Amino acid sequence: MKRFFTLLFLLSGVIFSACSKKSDNTNPPGPVVIDHPSTVTTLAGNGKQGYADGTKEQASFNYPSGVVVSNLAFLFVADKQNNIIRIISPQGVVNILAGTGKAGNSNVKDSVEFNTPNGVGVDFLGNVYVADMGNTSVRKIDINGVVT
C-alpha cells in the first residue's frame, strides 16, 4: 500500500511537506508545493457514462468512486451507480468482479447485490473490502468471489 500512495503523489506532480525551518513553532508550517510536469492517462473507460466490460477503450462506468490496486497490479473499482465492483487487469481489460447491477443487499452466489458501493480496499491475500454506502455496511469479497 505504501508503494501505491507514493506512486499517487509522484503521479500527481505535487508533494506536500510539513517540515518547518523554524524551531519555535510560533507559526505552524504550511504545505510546501513542488511542481513537476505530470502525465494523466486513462486506464479504463471510454468517457461515456454506462455499463460495459471489455478493453479499456470499450469499458464504461457510472460514477466510479473508489479505486485500489492489488499487489498483483489488478485494480478494483467501486462502480457506484451501477451497483457493482469491477476488476481491471494489468492489460486494461475490465470485468465485473461482483454484483448484478441491481441495488440491494444480497450475498447469494450469482445474484450478489450492492447499494451504491462507494469505496474499495484490498488486503495482501487478495480479498476485496467494499464500503457499501446504501446498505451502511462493509462487505468482503474473498479470493473465490464469495461475498459476505
Side-chain angles (χ1 to χ4, degrees):
M1 204 54 136
K2 185 177 179 183
R3 258 189 278 159
F4 176 68
F5 286 111
T6 302
L7 179 63
L8 272 178
F9 281 111
L10 291 176
L11 287 176
S12 71
V14 178
I15 299 173
F16 293 97
S17 171
C19 298
S20 173
K21 294 181 182 178
K22 292 184 174 185
S23 61
D24 62 3
N25 288 333
T26 56
N27 294 321
V32 176
V33 178
I34 303 170
D35 193 15
H36 297 282
S38 59
T39 302
V40 176
T41 305
T42 300
L43 297 175
N46 58 21
K48 297 176 185 167
Q49 190 174 356
Y51 181 86
D53 288 337
T55 64
K56 62 183 180 180
E57 296 87 6
Q58 296 168 329
S60 60
F61 298 87
N62 193 353
Y63 290 96
S65 60
V67 177
V68 68
V69 65
S70 75
N71 58 353
L72 298 175
F74 286 87
L75 277 86
F76 298 93
V77 180
D79 196 346
K80 187 175 180 175
Q81 294 300 319
N82 282 328
N83 297 303
I84 56 177
I85 306 304
R86 311 287 278 285
I87 184 169
I88 305 172
S89 73
Q91 295 77 27
V93 178
V94 179
N95 285 295
I96 296 172
L97 177 66
T100 62
K102 179 181 173 192
N105 191 13
S106 170
N107 290 338
V108 177
K109 187 176 179 167
D110 298 326
S111 62
V112 171
E113 296 171 346
F114 296 96
N115 190 353
T116 59
N118 198 40
V120 288
V122 64
D123 66 20
F124 69 96
L125 296 174
N127 298 303
V128 178
Y129 299 88
V130 179
D132 195 353
M133 188 173 78
N135 288 317
T136 61
S137 60
V138 176
R139 315 266 297 274
K140 177 183 175 183
I141 307 168
D142 73 14
I143 60 171
N144 298 311
V146 176
V147 179
T148 53

